[in-house]
């Protein structure tokens, strides 16, 4: 049984929980989803999801609830993390916004709302390394990943990296929980 914590300070928590359960079934394993709103629960999780929302709010709440250090320790122990949209902003090395205290789990910098300035939300089909068919990606005020250091780009939209992996952490600019396709959750959490 894999215990997957969905950080539930904000964002599409139930959609992520559903995607985690589907992904676990597809990977022929069992998962228990735990919603995380306070410190003390992350240490018991085998894998974590950091959903989207508003990165300034998420980072403030992670810090005030004392969950930031727990999430850092989880990743340092090589346990999987899927960070989506604002979750990726928070997980990045630098969001270039002093209101976002980043966790520095993914060696990349991000530009908040970079896509949003051009286009608020859109869908695109992206090729992801490790998936045999393209993935339907839903972008909502999405961050642009700009400087990638010691992380691997798994997908691009045009020139822009939109899926990156740094060790146990997979970050997406888009919202994989908003489609019935659970392959990103599977790739990040169960492979
Ligand atoms: N633009 C938001 C932020 O900066 C992220 C949007 C999202 O998670 N859909 O936090």
């Amino acid at each position: 049984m894999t215990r997957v914590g969905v950080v539930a300070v904000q964002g599409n928590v139930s959609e992520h929980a559903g995607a985690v359960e589907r992904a676990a079934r597809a990977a022929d394993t069992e998962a228990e989803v735990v919603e995380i709103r306070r410190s003390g629960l992350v240490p018991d999780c085998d894998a974590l999801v950091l959903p989207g929302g508003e990165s300034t709010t998420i980072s403030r709440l992670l810090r005030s609830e004392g969950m930031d250090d727990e999430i850092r320790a989880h990743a340092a122990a090589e346990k999987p993390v899927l960070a989506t949209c604002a979750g990726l902003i928070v997980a990045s090395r630098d969001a270039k916004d002093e209101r976002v205290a980043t966790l520095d789990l993914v060696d990349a910098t991000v530009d908040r709302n970079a896509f949003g300035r051009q286009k608020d939300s859109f869908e695109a089909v992206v090729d992801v390394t490790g998936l045999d068919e393209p993935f339907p990606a839903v972008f909502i005020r999405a961050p642009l990943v700009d400087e990638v250091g010691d992380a691997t780009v798994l997908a691009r939209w045009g020139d822009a990296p939109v899926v990156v992996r740094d060790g146990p952490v997979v970050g997406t600019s888009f919202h994989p929980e908003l489609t019935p396709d659970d392959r990103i959750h599977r790739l990040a959490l169960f492979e």
Side-chain angles (χ1 to χ4, degrees), residues 51-56 84-87 89 112-113 140-143 175:
E54 199 57 43
S55 50
T56 49
T84 63
C85 201
I89 297 173
R112 293 183 61 214
N113 303 322
I140 303 169
R141 297 186 301 113
H175 286 266

Side-chain angles (χ1 to χ4, degrees), residues 132 137 182:
D132 45 8
D182 54 60

Side-chain angles (χ1 to χ4, degrees), residues 104-188:
D104 198 8
L105 307 180
V106 176
D107 189 4
T109 65
V110 296
D111 188 358
R112 293 183 61 214
N113 303 322
F115 284 125
R117 282 196 292 271
Q118 306 155 14
K119 220 174 169 201
D120 223 35
S121 69
F122 60 98
E123 286 187 44
V125 171
V126 294
D127 286 315
V128 182
T129 304
L131 302 184
D132 45 8
E133 300 284 337
F135 192 90
V138 179
F139 294 84
I140 303 169
R141 297 186 301 113
L144 178 74
V145 178
D146 44 18
E147 268 170 51
V148 179
D150 201 8
T152 309
V153 176
L154 298 184
R156 290 178 192 272
W157 182 77
D159 287 337
V162 292
V163 182
V164 287
R165 178 188 275 284
D166 189 343
V169 185
V170 173
T172 68
S173 294
F174 53 84
H175 286 266
E177 78 285 6
L178 293 183
T179 57
D181 195 325
D182 54 60
R183 288 176 299 155
I184 298 267
H185 287 76
R186 216 184 312 163
L187 179 81

